[in-house]
Amino acid sequence: MMRKSSRIAGIVTALTILFCGAAMAEINWPTKPITLVCGYSAGGSSDLGCRYLAAALEKQLGVPVVVENRPGSGSWVAWNRFLHNTPADGNTFALVNLSAVFGHYDDKTPRKETIDDFELLANQAIDYQVIAIRPDEKRFTDYKSLLEYAKNNELLTAASSTGITSGEASVARMLEKFHGAKVSVVPVGGAGDANTMFISGNIDFLIGNVGDVTLNPENYRVIVLFANERDEQLPDVPTEKELGLGDYVSFSARGYAYMKGVDPEIVAKMTQAVSAAIQDPECLENMRKMSVNVELYAGGAYKKLLNDQLEWRCRIWDVKR
């Protein structure tokens, strides 16, 4: 089975939808503009995703939805203020990613906050990890031969961080732990730096996201996808499970959350509204143009998605929850 680039999965359960419908009829909310906190600078993919969502959400709620950018410290400037210095009145919600909900388990900069400090609404985007080699690579030509080569020869790759919050670093750790590969990770500033090092030949292979390798595909020979099924944007790339070499799943994910303490009826209404906004045709088209894989998981399904990935990473990094 192939994963579509705009997949609507894990939709809110019928019971939740019914509750949301009742909540819409019973509560007088919202009555003023809504703020969406984005912990990244304006103009990037995270910011644009927020703005596309905000425009669609205005149609659902009938009030303005304003994106407020608060960059800094890997988005923790925004999340700290959001969680600890913002009223839980339902009028402010935030973009969250795996750094927010996995940060508690980071051995270098552990956060006191855990996934349970967020009232998860809905997931909007998932970007699965891949491994790519250069088109002219001769030492290995596919995932199996790369693993065999790396058992006896140390290989270099790059990642923007080296701990549990990084999908790229977690893939590298998995290669060592599950396959006995010798992999050293070069810390870099971001995905752009890793791609530059890869194209220039300063690292041996690239661990990246689907979105990294589909913008300029001529630079990459993608050899494996760490997902449950193939991706529409990379239809010829097999999953690790498909190759019979493991069943690892790794991704980055972006969604939306409240802080704890928001009225449950407001949470229900907002969950339904955000879910509908994610499925808005204009929003979907804008996300598709950015080569973003849209996968909707709402409420409990969203929390399960993140907890399942956290279990994988805790296992890889030998971390107890």
Side-chain angles (χ1 to χ4, degrees):
M1 185 179 294
M2 188 178 298
R3 182 177 302 280
K4 295 185 178 180
S5 57
S6 294
R7 179 184 176 89
I8 305 303
I11 305 297
V12 193
T13 65
L15 181 60
T16 303
I17 291 174
L18 288 172
F19 176 62
C20 287
M24 283 187 164
E26 294 171 4
I27 63 172
N28 183 27
W29 176 92
T31 59
K32 62 181 184 178
I34 299 295
T35 298
L36 169 51
V37 178
C38 175
Y40 299 92
S41 300
S45 60
S46 293
D47 170 71
L48 290 174
C50 285
R51 293 183 186 277
Y52 298 145
L53 185 283
L57 189 58
E58 289 183 351
K59 303 175 191 177
Q60 299 296 321
L61 296 179
V63 297
V65 180
V66 180
V67 177
E68 183 176 302
N69 298 92
R70 297 177 189 162
S73 191
S75 210
W76 276 101
V77 168
W79 292 325
N80 277 324
R81 182 175 172 185
F82 170 72
L83 290 173
H84 306 299
N85 294 288
T86 303
D89 56 11
N91 294 318
T92 304
F93 71 117
L95 174 75
V96 294
N97 58 25
L98 300 191
S99 294
V101 295
F102 293 0
H104 180 75
Y105 305 96
D106 189 337
D107 62 342
K108 292 186 173 56
T109 55
R111 305 286 176 174
K112 64 179 181 179
E113 296 83 4
T114 72
I115 190 172
D116 294 324
D117 289 297
F118 294 88
E119 185 71 66
L120 297 172
L121 298 169
N123 183 76
Q124 181 178 27
I126 289 183
D127 208 352
Y128 289 89
Q129 265 79 59
V130 300
I131 288 178
I133 59 177
R134 281 179 286 277
D136 61 352
E137 179 62 69
K138 298 294 191 296
R139 295 168 295 174
F140 30 80
T141 58
D142 56 17
Y143 184 49
K144 183 177 181 179
S145 59
L146 181 148
L147 292 176
E148 289 300 319
Y149 184 89
K151 290 177 181 178
N152 299 302
N153 303 274
E154 185 176 27
L155 296 179
L156 287 179
T157 190
S160 56
S161 65
T162 57
I164 196 170
T165 61
S166 167
E168 293 82 2
S170 293
V171 168
R173 174 84 170 191
M174 180 276 296
L175 295 177
E176 294 179 307
K177 186 176 181 69
F178 293 170
H179 297 290
K182 299 178 180 179
V183 179
S184 291
V185 178
V186 179
V188 292
D193 296 327
N195 276 272
T196 297
M197 291 188 71
F198 172 74
I199 292 169
S200 64
N202 292 319
I203 57 176
D204 295 297
F205 68 99
L206 178 74
I207 302 173
N209 295 332
V210 171
D212 297 327
V213 300
T214 51
L215 293 178
N216 297 291
E218 67 278 3
N219 294 325
Y220 312 95
R221 189 195 308 173
V222 187
I223 58 175
V224 67
L225 170 74
F226 296 103
N228 286 314
E229 57 194 57
R230 292 197 184 197
D231 193 284
E232 184 183 59
Q233 298 181 82
L234 297 169
D236 298 325
V237 178
T239 66
E240 190 187 47
K241 184 175 182 178
E242 191 178 345
L243 291 170
L245 295 170
D247 58 355
Y248 184 55
V249 174
S250 183
F251 54 78
S252 59
R254 298 199 299 266
Y256 302 95
Y258 275 139
M259 68 291 285
K260 287 293 187 180
V262 178
D263 186 315
E265 290 189 346
I266 293 177
V267 172
K269 182 174 180 179
M270 188 62 144
T271 299
Q272 185 191 37
V274 171
S275 299
I278 288 170
Q279 299 173 80
D280 178 86
E282 185 175 355
C283 185
L284 284 172
E285 177 62 16
N286 284 327
M287 298 295 281
R288 185 195 65 78
K289 289 177 179 177
M290 292 198 300
S291 296
V292 173
N293 185 52
V294 174
E295 290 197 33
L296 170 62
Y297 291 83
Y302 182 20
K303 189 167 186 177
K304 183 179 186 304
L305 173 77
L306 299 183
N307 270 318
D308 287 350
Q309 180 63 190
L310 181 56
E311 288 295 334
W312 264 118
R313 296 201 188 179
C314 285
R315 178 183 171 194
I316 289 168
W317 292 98
D318 300 315
V319 172
K320 291 183 179 181
R321 291 193 63 178

